[in-house]
Amino acid sequence: MSTTEFSFQVEPEDAGQRLDVYLAEQDDPPLTRSQVRKFLDRGEITVNGAQVKAGYKLREDDRIFWSHIPPTEPNIKAQAIALNLLYEDDEVAVVDKPVGMVVHPSIGHPDGTLVNALMHHFDELPTIGGELRPGIVHRIDKDTSGALAVTKTDRAHHHLSAQFRDHSIDRVYHALVFGPGLADEGTFDTLHGRDPNHRMRFTGRVTKGRHAVTHYRVMERYDSGAVLVECRLETGRTHQIRMHFADADAPLLGDVLYGGKRTSQCSLIGRQALHARTLGFEHPDGQRVHCVAEYPDDFSGALEALRAGRDWR
């Protein structure tokens, strides 16, 4: 099998970050820190031509190079799990990911994931993102529903990954937030980094981090102070929408991690009220693909209740 090569040049805002953390935050290839350490041990990843450890502190203009020989067979098992496909051809597919499904195997989620389902439904998937993430070019949280793109060839994987890197993917999310004081529209343009007081969360209130931009507009307001917002992602950082609205004092309904005492307990929906509504991208053959994922039952039920005047608390 042919070797796949990736290279990165460290930007000033990433200087001082650990190598394994930096690589795990890249959109392409999508890797975990444990995978990074494994590839470092194999000698596949170098910095400025030299082998380093996972904890190496990056410097501005460092050049990271990864020469990877994919495994002959993914180390995951196919499982007959139902999938709702919004689009499919020989190179790409768009899946309507249900609430509660993890995208790829990880610690605590060895099977029952979207990848296990993909291995059953499709004959072959590219493994350049790692043997545990075949075909995966982006992710959405376990408890976020909606449209997610999957690649079925290496050509498609490279083509879509490039669009995610240059932010030309059209990604629209709908969310329910507690935002009685939220402006009718706006843009969150912040940094994105680990919250120093809560390592499971991210925040824009950091002095060093990656760039994160979310555009939003209010679609509906309700008497209880809840608001239906449409969010258009310019960048796609981890927990970006959840982070931006929490930092703006308008956390998502049902969000246990970011909602705190204010909105984590929601009587209308039992998870963060976030849905990947539309996904649009350029197909490797040049045509435009545009998919819309309908609201799942819990999200549409919460909307109906709010429109009927029910309180979400």
Side-chain angles (χ1 to χ4, degrees), residues 27 36 41 46 57 63 107 156 243 282 287:
D27 295 325
V36 171
D41 291 341
T46 58
K57 295 297 181 66
R63 290 190 175 274
I107 296 174
M243 175 198 84
E282 181 189 85
Q287 74 267 27

Side-chain angles (χ1 to χ4, degrees), residues 6 8 14 17-40 45 54-56 58 64 66 104 129 133 136-139 192 194 199 202 210 236-239:
F6 296 89
F8 309 88
D14 293 314
Q17 193 171 32
R18 285 174 57 107
L19 173 63
D20 56 348
V21 174
Y22 172 84
L23 288 176
E25 290 181 349
Q26 301 306 307
D27 295 325
D28 182 35
L31 295 172
T32 63
R33 291 175 65 179
S34 62
Q35 287 176 315
V36 171
R37 290 191 289 271
K38 178 176 68 176
F39 295 132
L40 282 166
I45 299 175
Y56 171 84
L58 296 172
I64 304 167
W66 180 31
H104 56 78
R133 305 184 184 192
I136 302 300
V137 288
H138 69 123
R139 291 160 283 178
H192 172 275
R194 291 281 181 184
R199 296 299 294 171
F202 294 85
R210 305 178 76 187
R237 310 305 181 199
T238 303
H239 299 174

Side-chain angles (χ1 to χ4, degrees), residues 27-28 92 155-171 234 280-284 287-289:
D27 295 325
D28 182 35
V92 300
R155 181 178 88 130
H157 191 98
H158 284 296
H159 190 72
L160 265 68
S161 294
Q163 293 175 70
F164 277 101
R165 283 196 302 272
D166 63 24
H167 312 307
S168 61
I169 296 284
D170 182 25
R171 285 176 288 176
E234 188 170 317
F281 54 89
E282 181 189 85
H283 191 277
Q287 74 267 27
R288 196 74 187 171
V289 175

Side-chain angles (χ1 to χ4, degrees), residues 181-193:
L182 197 65
D184 286 343
E185 61 182 21
T187 296
F188 301 119
D189 189 339
T190 71
L191 294 176
H192 172 275

Side-chain angles (χ1 to χ4, degrees), residues 114-181:
L114 177 62
V115 166
N116 294 109
L118 295 175
M119 293 298 295
H120 175 78
H121 285 271
F122 304 139
D123 293 334
E124 187 174 354
L125 292 167
T127 59
I128 57 178
E131 61 264 38
L132 296 182
R133 305 184 184 192
I136 302 300
V137 288
H138 69 123
R139 291 160 283 178
I140 55 179
D141 296 335
K142 176 175 75 74
D143 289 327
T144 297
S145 54
L148 184 142
V150 175
T151 57
K152 300 168 72 174
T153 66
D154 285 354
R155 181 178 88 130
H157 191 98
H158 284 296
H159 190 72
L160 265 68
S161 294
Q163 293 175 70
F164 277 101
R165 283 196 302 272
D166 63 24
H167 312 307
S168 61
I169 296 284
D170 182 25
R171 285 176 288 176
V172 176
Y173 287 70
H174 286 186
L176 290 168
V177 307
F178 178 60

